[in-house]
């Protein structure tokens, strides 16, 4: 289950993608003919709109869920963290029973975008593989986005929910396979069986992720990222003399 690098501190089918941002105001006719905008009442906080509001709400929800748990978190908790009204939060999420999936879909889409941007700047498949591992593993025990994954998986889901979760996981496997295909085509990776390698790689990363989240002492003085990347690179190293 991928997590944000996993982000440089500031990426998950997209059946429930966030809505497009609301367009900005059109250009006025000029300073002499355009009326001045109405002044907001003193003391009233500006409510964010469009993509800004959705991102703020989603990040606040991830934080609140990680701290309080899905069962205990309230819409008012999210609103307080986001600096928004409860009504505004309800507008973005609808009913609470959809909260976890909605937030997970946004989180995965956000993380996927960040990974794609970083991978586009990578010079080699090996660099992309290192990025994949870093984005996939939790940064630290209690990583908020990985905690969201575990809470979503702990819930009971209907067929639509299970298909959604499978598609989110499949997207990361497809990213890894694309890196392997590129590396193999350039002669930089061994000609491994792609489906089997991806299954093994993801299983290892998931196991390491649980270790990191649990706070196993072995990773207090060692890097799970380095361990995983070394293991993958060892298997992908081309054998001399073979095409």
């Amino acid at each position: 289950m991928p997590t944000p690098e996993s982000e440089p501190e500031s990426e998950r089918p997209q059946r429930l993608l966030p809505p497009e941002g609301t367009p900005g105001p059109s250009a006025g006719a000029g300073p002499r003919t355009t009326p001045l905008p109405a002044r907001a009442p003193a003391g009233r906080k500006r409510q964010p709109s469009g993509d800004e509001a959705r991102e703020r709400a989603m990040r606040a929800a991830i934080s609140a869920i990680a701290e309080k748990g899905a069962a205990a978190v309230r819409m008012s908790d999210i609103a307080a963290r986001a600096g928004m009204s409860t009504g505004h939060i309800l507008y973005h999420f609808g009913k609470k029973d959809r909260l976890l999936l909605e937030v997970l879909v946004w989180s995965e889409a956000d993380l996927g975008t960040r990974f794609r941007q970083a991978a586009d700047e990578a010079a080699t498949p090996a660099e992309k593989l290192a990025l994949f591992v870093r984005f996939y593993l939790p940064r630290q025990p209690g990583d908020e986005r990985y905690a969201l994954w575990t809470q979503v998986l702990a819930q009971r889901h209907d067929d639509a929910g299970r298909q959604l979760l499978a598609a989110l996981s499949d997207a990361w496997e497809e990213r890894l396979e694309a890196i392997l295909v590129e590396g193999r085509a350039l002669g930089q990776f061994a000609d491994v069986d792609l489906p089997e390698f991806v299954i093994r790689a993801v299983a290892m990363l998931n196991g390491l992720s649980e270790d990191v989240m649990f706070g196993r002492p072995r990773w207090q003085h060692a890097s799970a990222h380095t361990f995983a990347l070394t293991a993958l690179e060892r298997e992908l190293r081309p054998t001399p003399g073979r095409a």
Side-chain angles (χ1 to χ4, degrees), residues 211-235:
D211 260 16
V212 172
M213 288 292 289
F214 183 65
R216 292 288 295 272
R218 65 176 60 147
W219 303 121
Q220 292 179 0
H221 305 291
S223 168
H225 172 270
T226 300
F227 179 91
L229 185 58
T230 299
L232 297 178
E233 289 176 334
R234 185 185 304 118
E235 189 170 352

Side-chain angles (χ1 to χ4, degrees), residues 1 10 33 39 43 47 55 59 62-63 69 119 123 137-138 202 211 216 232-233 241:
M1 293 175 289
S10 10
T33 59
R39 189 182 299 272
Q47 289 286 4
E55 179 172 351
R59 293 191 184 281
I62 291 172
S63 176
L137 291 175
V202 169
D211 260 16
R216 292 288 295 272
L232 297 178
E233 289 176 334

Side-chain angles (χ1 to χ4, degrees), residues 154-191:
Q155 289 190 318
R156 298 185 63 180
H157 299 283
D158 57 15
D159 288 342
R162 287 190 293 270
Q163 290 174 10
L164 175 61
L165 292 173
L168 294 175
S169 297
D170 289 347
W172 285 95
E173 295 188 6
E174 290 165 5
R175 293 181 180 109
L176 176 57
E177 186 168 326
I179 296 171
L180 300 176
V181 169
E182 180 184 358
R184 189 168 63 178
L186 294 173
Q188 298 177 14
F189 291 162
D191 188 13

Side-chain angles (χ1 to χ4, degrees), residues 81-96:
R81 289 171 187 260
M84 300 162 64
S85 69
T86 302
H88 212 102
I89 295 298
L90 289 170
Y91 170 80
H92 287 290
F93 293 119
K95 295 185 295 185
K96 184 183 174 183

Side-chain angles (χ1 to χ4, degrees), residues 21-29 34 37 49:
T22 55
S26 58
T34 303
S49 60

